[in-house]
């Protein structure tokens, strides 16, 4: 009904990985925002689900398959410390098979307590759920792999934080919710059969080109297809190297790169304290709890590597029956990460500067640009836009740099128009700027006025469209003495 075609392949995994649990009913659910294009792509009956039926379904009051909802178990290194976690406020409704045959998890976030809630209330507030909706959809429009947001439903049950807040539930859509932390959960249990089942599941769901031979699964670790698990590691490393380079290229700061917030699919997940950088500085941190700057903008690539090392560790028992050999195999793959990341990043920066070919001096030129931005507190996004518009920030050294860059663009066969069009495709005109996001959320939450949110989302839906005038969304924030702060798990 309503276009749902839900499967539950996750429950074929050993039962340590999940718990069957029903959402806790809420009072008077109402849809606040509904993502029509996404609903259509999922094959859902969009017109019907946008109304009160959708509110009942996406609040958890009437899940499409009532008896099959589950909360997933996982672990994770949070700020470097290992913890057993799990969906503390989320439930998997099922895996929707789209008309094109693709499989997506539909998950409610804020749907009530689960056995993994660790004392939390299992609930979410309207502001943060709308924030996830805005930023995840902006990431999608930017072309960055991400979980998406189908709906936000508001409830009449307040959630209690420092003050009572309006309660809400977000429907998150993801290629899967397999995390590095899911593997860490299996590994810490010391259950090789479960670990192998999880690895096989991840391969068949995300990397079906990796071949798993049947005999491997029957005969256990001595005869496992170690090659398949090595390839799994390689693929995850590649996807994360690519993903994190894309974050860096648009100034996205995830804010809480704990290993439970790193997916196996390579999608960005967990829009808690994330934010986009306005003024360029590698040490930019927005999250109120990240006091050491562990997850600062400039640290993200390194943290990505650290998290991947934790992932590789979990796979060691599957890579070879002799541990030292397995560790060496894993290490060889991990060693490729930094180079892979760097290649993606450099290529991306070249595109942002309209460069089609490669020159050994490019990296120095790019780093000099970043230093100029840092020294003169320039806006990261708009500096590239200024270069496209043939204007130039009026700061010491920039004119010289720009001349160097112009000479460099002439050292390639492409004409000026082609350079400009590559730059347009590679530099967003609009990003979800914090002051704009806050203004839209303020109107939505405090005045029940969704017009600013819809206007912002419309601008964010076509970030590479440089033709129309997207003011005020392209403007950096007005100067302020108070640094912008974001909060986790609220
Ligand atoms: P996060 O920082 O969002 O990755 O969350 C870390 C863990 O805390 C996850 O296991 C969440 O499910 C859990 N969590 C966050 N907020 C709540 C809440 N209000 N109630 C229960 N669990 C929560
Ligand atoms: Mg999380």
């Amino acid at each position: 009904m309503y276009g749902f075609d839900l499967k539950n392949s996750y429950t074929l995994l050993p039962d340590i990985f999940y718990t069957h649990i029903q959402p806790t009913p809420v009072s008077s659910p109402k849809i606040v925002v509904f993502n029509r294009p996404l609903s259509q792509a999922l094959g859902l009956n969009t017109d019907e689900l946008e109304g009160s039926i959708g509110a009942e379904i996406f609040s958890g009051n009437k899940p499409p398959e009532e008896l099959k909802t589950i909360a997933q178990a996982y672990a994770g290194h949070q700020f470097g410390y290992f913890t057993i976690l799990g969906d503390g406020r989320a439930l998997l409704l099922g895996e929707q098979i789209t008309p094109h045959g693709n499989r997506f998890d539909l998950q409610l976030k804020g749907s009530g307590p689960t056995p993994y809630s660790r004392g939390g209330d299992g609930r979410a507030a309207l502001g943060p759920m709308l924030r996830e909706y805005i930023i995840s959809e902006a990431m999608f429009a930017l072309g960055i792999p991400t979980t998406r947001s189908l709906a936000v439903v508001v409830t009449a049950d307040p959630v209690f934080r420092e003050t009572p807040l309006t309660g809400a539930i977000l429907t998150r859509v993801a290629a899967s919710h397999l995390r590095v932390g899911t593997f860490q959960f299996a590994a810490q249990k010391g259950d090789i059969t479960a670990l192998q089942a999880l690895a096989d599941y991840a391969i068949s769901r995300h990397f079906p080109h990796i071949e798993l031979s049947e005999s491997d699964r029957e005969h256990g670790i001595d005869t496992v297809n170690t090659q398949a698990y090595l390839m799994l590691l390689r693929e995850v490393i590649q996807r994360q190297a690519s993903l994190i380079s894309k974050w860096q290229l648009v100034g996205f700061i995830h804010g809480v790169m704990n290993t439970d917030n790193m997916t196996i699919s390579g999608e960005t997940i967990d829009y808690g304290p994330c934010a986009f950088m306005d003024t360029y500085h590698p040490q930019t941190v927005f999250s109120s709890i990240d006091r050491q700057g562990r997850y600062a903008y400039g640290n993200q690539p390194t943290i990505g590597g650290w998290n991947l090392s934790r992932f590789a560790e979990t796979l060691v028992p599957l890579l070879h029956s002799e541990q030292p050999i397995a560790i060496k195999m894993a290490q060889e793959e991990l060693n490729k990460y930094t180079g892979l990341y760097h290649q993606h990043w450099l290529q991306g920066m070249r595109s942002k500067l309209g460069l089609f070919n490669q020159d050994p001096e490019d990296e120095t030129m790019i780093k000099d640009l970043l230093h100029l931005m840092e020294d003169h507190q320039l806006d990261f996004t708009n500096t590239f836009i200024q270069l496209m518009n043939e204007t130039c920030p009026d700061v010491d050294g920039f004119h010289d740099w720009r001349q160097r860059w112009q000479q460099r663009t002439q050292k390639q066969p492409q004409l000026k128009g082609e350079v400009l069009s590559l730059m347009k495709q590679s530099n967003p005109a609009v990003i979800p700027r914090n002051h704009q996001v806050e203004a839209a959320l303020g109107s939505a939450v405090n005045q029940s006025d969704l017009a600013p949110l819809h206007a912002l989302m419309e601008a964010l839906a076509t970030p590479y469209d440089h033709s129309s005038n997207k003011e005020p969304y392209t403007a950096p924030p007005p100067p302020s003495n108070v640094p912008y702060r974001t909060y986790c798990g609220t």
Side-chain angles (χ1 to χ4, degrees):
M1 272 236 292
Y2 307 120
F4 287 104
D5 178 8
L6 293 172
K7 300 284 181 275
N8 298 281
S9 67
Y10 200 82
T11 56
L12 298 174
L13 284 173
D15 55 16
I16 58 164
F17 287 112
Y18 61 91
T19 304
H20 279 287
I21 180 142
Q22 302 299 300
T24 313
V26 296
S27 28
S28 315
K30 288 191 184 60
I31 290 200
V32 184
V33 278
F34 188 72
N35 192 334
R36 290 183 63 92
L38 178 57
S39 166
Q40 268 147 19
L42 289 168
L44 298 178
N45 191 331
T46 303
D47 288 333
E48 284 195 67
L49 290 174
E50 202 171 20
S52 55
I53 294 162
E56 291 296 321
I57 292 173
F58 299 121
S59 63
N61 280 2
K62 290 197 180 123
E65 290 191 353
E66 216 165 300
L67 299 173
K68 295 194 172 155
T69 53
I70 59 164
Q72 296 179 341
Y74 51 85
H77 275 90
Q78 297 187 299
F79 290 89
Y81 296 97
F82 185 77
T83 319
I84 299 291
L85 299 161
D87 289 333
R89 54 166 173 174
L91 281 184
L92 187 68
L93 291 179
E95 301 145 18
Q96 171 73 1
I97 308 298
T98 71
H100 286 112
N102 296 316
R103 183 183 298 257
F104 286 97
D105 277 9
L106 300 187
Q107 194 202 53
L108 300 183
K109 184 168 169 184
S111 49
T114 75
Y116 313 110
S117 294
R118 298 177 301 149
D121 61 1
R123 289 297 179 195
L126 178 59
M129 294 306 101
L130 287 177
R131 197 166 184 280
E132 169 152 353
Y133 189 99
I134 297 170
I135 300 186
S136 62
E137 287 304 303
M139 292 286 273
F140 173 76
L142 284 164
I144 300 177
T146 178
T147 66
R148 296 191 64 189
S149 300
L150 178 63
V152 176
V153 171
V154 73
T155 81
D157 310 324
V159 297
F160 297 93
R161 298 295 180 256
E162 273 141 33
T163 52
L165 300 170
T166 306
I169 295 161
L170 172 92
T171 304
R172 176 158 71 183
V173 178
S176 84
H177 284 84
L178 294 173
R179 307 146 187 269
V180 167
T182 320
F183 282 80
Q184 290 181 289
F185 178 81
Q188 70 82 37
K189 291 257 176 205
D191 183 339
I192 305 270
T193 312
L195 179 69
Q196 193 183 351
L198 180 66
D200 290 354
Y201 181 74
I203 288 171
S204 62
R205 194 149 172 191
H206 297 300
F207 312 102
H209 58 279
I210 301 179
E211 276 182 40
L212 287 166
S213 60
E214 278 310 312
S215 65
D216 299 337
R217 276 178 255 195
E218 281 161 23
H219 299 300
I221 186 65
D222 290 340
T223 55
V224 295
N225 179 1
T226 62
Q227 208 52 36
Y229 304 115
L230 192 66
M231 299 247 311
L232 170 64
L233 175 59
R234 187 174 302 163
E235 293 277 359
V236 175
I237 289 172
Q238 283 172 357
R239 289 205 185 174
Q240 288 294 333
S242 164
L243 177 69
I244 296 170
S245 75
K246 292 191 163 92
W247 293 355
Q248 299 306 100
L249 293 166
V250 297
F252 173 77
I253 303 173
H254 183 283
V256 62
M257 288 177 72
N258 295 334
T259 55
D260 52 302
N261 294 334
M262 181 183 257
T263 59
I264 299 305
S265 67
E267 286 182 342
T268 310
I269 196 172
D270 207 313
Y271 290 88
C274 66
F276 279 71
M277 175 171 67
D278 295 298
T279 305
Y280 177 81
H281 199 295
Q283 276 154 33
T284 309
V285 174
F286 293 113
S287 171
S288 56
I289 59 166
D290 190 3
R291 294 199 185 85
Q292 313 287 321
R294 179 181 170 92
Y295 300 138
Y297 171 76
N299 288 353
Q300 295 190 125
T302 314
I303 288 291
W306 192 87
N307 288 350
L308 289 165
S309 300
R310 306 289 77 76
F311 178 54
E313 281 165 8
T314 70
L315 294 180
V316 162
L318 301 180
L319 293 178
H320 201 279
S321 52
E322 288 177 46
Q323 201 188 57
I325 300 176
I327 291 174
K328 191 161 170 280
M329 289 164 75
Q331 195 57 57
E332 275 167 18
E333 290 307 316
L334 287 169
N335 290 346
K336 297 178 195 162
Y337 166 77
T338 308
L340 275 172
Y341 163 77
H342 186 259
Q343 264 173 32
H344 285 298
W345 174 82
L346 189 55
Q347 200 43 43
M349 285 305 274
R350 282 196 177 104
S351 300
K352 282 172 86 72
L353 291 171
L355 303 178
F356 289 84
N357 60 5
Q358 303 181 0
D359 183 298
E361 295 297 308
D362 288 346
E363 190 165 352
T364 313
M365 182 180 73
I366 291 163
K367 289 195 168 149
D368 288 347
L369 172 65
L370 294 175
H371 281 132
L372 278 168
M373 286 191 201
E374 183 179 337
D375 291 347
H376 299 287
Q377 298 173 14
L378 301 179
D379 186 89
F380 181 65
T381 304
N382 286 355
T383 301
F384 291 98
I385 302 293
Q386 282 183 294
L387 290 173
M388 280 169 44
N389 294 342
E390 302 198 16
T391 57
C392 182
D394 190 21
V395 296
D396 263 1
F398 211 102
H399 280 275
D400 293 346
W401 183 90
R402 188 160 157 254
Q403 248 177 7
R404 246 167 92 197
W405 167 65
Q406 280 170 336
Q407 281 162 9
R408 169 65 183 89
T409 59
Q410 286 152 14
K411 276 185 17 193
Q412 53 185 3
Q414 283 77 13
L415 302 172
K416 223 173 164 182
E418 292 169 276
V419 171
L420 189 62
S421 101
L422 177 60
M423 290 180 81
K424 280 186 176 172
Q425 288 162 37
S426 316
N427 292 296
V430 247
I431 52 162
R433 293 196 183 258
N434 303 318
H435 64 296
Q436 293 291 354
V437 173
E438 289 305 318
L441 292 179
S443 300
V445 175
N446 304 326
Q447 282 125 46
S448 303
D449 176 7
L450 289 168
L453 183 145
H454 287 303
L456 172 63
M457 292 214 53
E458 197 185 316
L460 292 169
T462 52
Y464 301 106
D465 171 14
H466 296 261
S467 59
S468 58
N469 185 359
K470 289 198 162 161
E471 280 290 341
Y473 301 109
T474 55
S480 162
N481 297 327
V482 190
Y484 183 66
R485 282 277 162 268
T486 56
Y487 300 89
C488 246
T490 39

